[in-house]
Amino acid sequence: MLDVVDLTVAYGPMEAVRDVSFQVREGAIVTLIGPNGAGKTTILNTLSGVVPVRSGRILLDGRDITGMSAHRRVSEGVIQVPEGRQVLAGMTVRENLEMGGYRRPSREAQRDVARMEERFPILGERRNMAAGSLSGGEQQMLAIARGLMARPRLLLLDEPSLGLAPLMVKAVFEIIRQVHDEGLTVLLVEQNAHLALATSTHAYVIESGKIVLDGPADVLRSDPSVISTYLGQTV
Amino acid sequence: MDLLAQQLINGLFIGSVYGLFAVGYTLVFGVLDILNLAHAAVFTLGGLLAVWLVEAAGLSLWLAFPVSVFCCGLLGLLLDRVAFAPLRQRADSNFSGLISSIAMAIIFESAALGLFGARTVRFPAHTISVHIWRWGGISITSLQVEIVAVAILLMVALTQFLNRARVGKAIRAVAENDRTARLLGIHVDGIIAFTFFISSALGGAAGILFGLYFDSLSPDMGRSIELKGLAVIILGGMGSIPGAILGGLAFGLSEVLTVALTGTSNLRDAVAFTVLFTVLILRPAGLLGRKKMREA
Ligand SMILES: Nc1ncnc2c1ncn2[C@@H]1O[C@H](COP(=O)(O)OP(=O)(O)OP(=O)(O)O)[C@@H](O)[C@H]1O
Ligand SMILES: [Mg+2]
């Protein structure tokens, strides 16, 4: 579904991502793991079209979307749930969901708002509260629900478990598994490598803007260098 | 007592025009965190253009009003394209945008001078039929009622639009976080341009109402309201629409009350700005400003 070819991204003179190539097959959950500052968020942002590419190509279903504007990519079904949730804090929970469906016909979107409020009862209960008043876990639920409102084909999740209590982390991964079972393709960036590898089908390890290792998730899980660097504390 | 009541009513009338002017100011500030200092020049052009449409083109005021307001909206699009959009990528875009909006204000003012001349004009006497109501010592004209009705109608319409319409909500989303808005599929540049359109259209509408209220318009009429508009949005809370409406009314009232109580207009501006400072000492974020003053 997604083919990234020789992607290089730079902020000014500094290259944050260098010659990165990877694929996400239809129906897969692919994880990017790597240390802070490796360039994971940068990759997701170039896929979303909010950070420009220096060189390389991004293909969606074989079609080149490298130069496509961000809002058209959303229409194409490439949706990012950003790092740090980024709910629209001053708007209500309901309005956040509505904005998630911004590019869809409003009657359809309204129906999906009701569906999301059913799926995430807490969001239904809090629908008229400011999104900023939700707890961190609730905000993450809202961010994911808001992403699903766009009816994604490819969901980009940037560190969805960051800063959450263990129970909430479990809930978030449960949702990821569910939406995957419903047919969604997922590209996941995670610090929690243990859970991420257990959940995904394929993984790439990225360090200092380069892919240093990749393979099926269960193979990487038993790779000595991955164990020592990323699974050390959690195994 | 009647005099005081009369002044309160006058304060309400002029305050609603201040509010309308300030709403446009604060709308752009809320979305971009930029002060558009050309807003007062658009206000002037709106008023003068409406007079011209009535006088020279022979339109009725009820037609001249929307035409002029729409043209002011187009000026807003021009402002965005020329003065703000090219600077948006710069790290100092708040400051450089401020400067380029001053430059646009000067250009607009020169255009007003060149097009309409350096004279004071008014809407022709027959433009609008004025009826006067009297109760005891209080008199209200139908024109005043129409002015306040139009101002309030526009402000209510804007509020409803921002709270209910899909695009209105998108404006609020961009105001909160343009990066997130982009990830949600909102065409941010389009929303910003549209915001400028609405803001400038409302500024032009305020100019027409102001000219009708004082029965006098000139190319420098924006000067008198420019600083007041800024004071009103600071008073109301930067970026807050209801705050700008409330701030406009408070400012208008404090002006006319000063005149009523002191018997002269010498202290009018001084007292109005004193009210501003007093409110800011008590509530640093303004009447309806968010408590959080700065992003951490
Ligand atoms: N807007 C920016 N301007 C300049 N440099 C940036 C910008 N965003 C990221 N960088 C730099 O690019 C590099 C990659 O950052 P990125 O945010 O992609 O890393 P990451 O892998 O997501 O890290 P983390 O795990 O901390 O989220 C870092 O060195 C960072 O400092
Ligand atoms: Mg990151």
Side-chain angles (χ1 to χ4, degrees):
Chain A
M1 166 173 271
L2 180 75
D3 271 284
V4 174
V5 186
D6 295 336
L7 184 73
T8 298
V9 186
Y11 299 105
M14 192 207 70
E15 290 188 346
V17 171
R18 268 173 297 162
D19 283 329
V20 162
S21 300
F22 63 94
Q23 284 108 46
V24 181
R25 279 185 215 297
E26 180 114 35
I29 300 186
V30 172
T31 299
L32 301 179
I33 55 175
N36 292 119
K40 306 178 297 290
T41 298
T42 301
I43 291 174
L44 293 194
N45 280 337
T46 50
L47 296 179
S48 287
V50 295
V51 164
V53 167
R54 170 151 298 176
S55 64
R57 294 193 304 153
I58 301 166
L59 306 175
L60 184 68
D61 298 327
R63 205 151 59 89
D64 194 324
I65 60 161
T66 316
M68 191 185 271
S69 59
H71 59 276
R72 288 202 36 222
R73 293 189 205 206
V74 170
S75 298
E76 292 291 326
V78 180
I79 310 298
Q80 182 186 155
V81 176
E83 190 175 0
R85 338 201 191 300
Q86 309 295 339
V87 297
L88 300 163
M91 297 174 74
T92 65
V93 170
R94 164 73 46 98
E95 286 171 334
N96 268 268
L97 291 176
E98 288 169 351
M99 287 295 101
Y102 182 75
R103 300 206 70 78
R104 300 187 42 225
S106 63
R107 292 178 83 227
E108 262 181 49
Q110 282 304 331
R111 251 197 317 267
D112 274 11
V113 167
R115 226 172 267 154
M116 286 304 157
E117 288 176 348
E118 231 165 79
R119 181 169 196 166
F120 304 93
I122 192 77
L123 301 183
E125 280 164 38
R126 308 267 152 103
R127 64 169 68 101
N128 293 319
M129 287 174 59
S133 68
L134 298 182
S135 75
E138 290 162 355
Q139 289 191 19
Q140 186 63 60
M141 290 301 173
L142 176 58
I144 293 175
R146 186 181 64 183
L148 295 175
M149 279 295 301
R151 284 280 171 99
R153 295 197 301 135
L154 173 63
L155 188 64
L156 314 173
L157 290 166
D158 198 350
E159 310 216 14
S161 76
L162 192 70
L164 301 185
L167 217 58
M168 211 62 214
V169 173
K170 262 187 75 179
V172 164
F173 272 90
E174 186 50 41
I175 293 166
I176 296 172
R177 253 180 238 121
Q178 277 175 20
V179 295
H180 174 247
D181 288 344
E182 291 161 17
L184 206 58
T185 309
V186 179
L187 178 58
L188 175 65
V189 164
E190 254 302 332
Q191 296 277 349
N192 191 329
H194 191 64
L195 258 176
L197 289 177
T199 310
S200 53
T201 44
H202 202 94
Y204 292 85
V205 180
I206 174 159
E207 284 170 12
S208 313
K210 283 180 114 52
I211 288 176
V212 294
L213 198 65
D214 85 281
D218 39 357
V219 173
L220 285 199
R221 265 207 291 184
S222 48
D223 183 286
S225 71
V226 172
I227 290 174
S228 66
T229 317
Y230 299 104
L231 302 175
Q233 295 96 331
T234 43
V235 158
Chain B
M1 196 56 224
D2 276 355
L3 179 68
L4 191 64
Q6 177 75 58
Q7 292 297 344
L8 282 175
I9 290 168
N10 291 349
L12 199 67
F13 288 144
I14 190 60
S16 69
V17 177
Y18 289 164
L20 185 60
F21 176 79
V23 155
Y25 233 141
T26 215
L27 187 62
V28 163
F29 182 84
V31 170
L32 285 180
D33 285 337
I34 282 180
L35 278 175
N36 168 22
L37 289 182
H39 195 58
V42 174
F43 165 90
T44 306
L45 278 171
L48 292 174
L49 178 62
V51 171
W52 183 85
L53 287 169
V54 170
E55 226 175 29
L59 300 190
S60 77
L61 182 59
W62 296 110
L63 196 56
F65 186 90
V67 170
S68 172
V69 164
F70 183 78
C71 292
C72 288
L74 296 181
L75 285 180
L77 294 181
L78 183 75
L79 262 172
D80 177 43
R81 274 299 99 200
V82 174
F84 294 102
L87 300 171
R88 215 161 276 154
Q89 299 309 320
R90 285 173 63 129
D92 64 353
S93 67
N94 290 26
F95 185 66
S96 52
L98 189 78
I99 302 299
S100 67
S101 75
I102 294 176
M104 287 302 281
I106 293 170
I107 293 172
F108 284 170
E109 279 169 19
S110 317
L113 266 177
L115 289 171
F116 304 110
R119 63 205 170 95
T120 300
V121 296
R122 53 165 53 101
F123 287 95
H126 60 85
T127 316
I128 202 160
S129 59
V130 177
H131 183 84
I132 301 177
W133 292 291
R134 292 180 209 282
W135 292 280
I138 304 171
S139 70
I140 299 176
T141 70
S142 56
L143 178 65
Q144 286 175 318
V145 173
E146 279 156 6
I147 289 171
V148 76
V150 170
I152 289 177
L153 189 80
L154 288 174
M155 292 189 282
V156 169
L158 175 70
T159 310
Q160 290 298 312
F161 174 73
L162 292 174
N163 284 333
R164 297 190 193 284
R166 173 173 164 273
V167 173
K169 288 176 193 170
I171 290 178
R172 284 161 58 214
V174 173
E176 275 215 23
N177 188 334
D178 60 331
R179 166 68 68 102
T180 303
R182 228 168 237 125
L183 290 178
L184 296 175
I186 295 170
H187 184 354
V188 171
D189 286 340
I191 291 292
I192 290 175
F194 187 61
T195 305
F196 268 97
F197 181 91
I198 301 179
S199 161
S200 295
L202 293 177
I208 301 170
L209 297 182
F210 188 86
L212 282 167
Y213 187 85
F214 288 108
D215 196 23
S216 134
L217 303 94
S218 61
D220 61 358
M221 67 189 255
R223 291 280 156 72
S224 62
I225 201 168
E226 183 161 36
L227 203 54
K228 283 175 197 167
L230 281 175
V232 165
I233 65 175
I234 295 169
L235 182 64
M238 302 295 283
S240 162
I241 304 282
I245 299 172
L246 203 63
L249 293 176
F251 213 82
L253 282 174
S254 65
E255 272 189 7
V256 295
L257 284 181
T258 309
V259 178
L261 298 177
T262 62
T264 85
S265 60
N266 296 344
L267 289 175
R268 188 179 63 194
D269 291 349
V271 171
F273 282 102
T274 306
V275 169
L276 167 69
F277 289 128
T278 311
V279 170
L280 292 183
I281 289 168
L282 298 174
R283 282 188 63 89
L287 292 172
L288 299 180
R290 300 231 186 96
K291 298 229 172 46
K292 187 179 70 172
M293 297 293 290
R294 272 177 167 281
E295 299 281 331

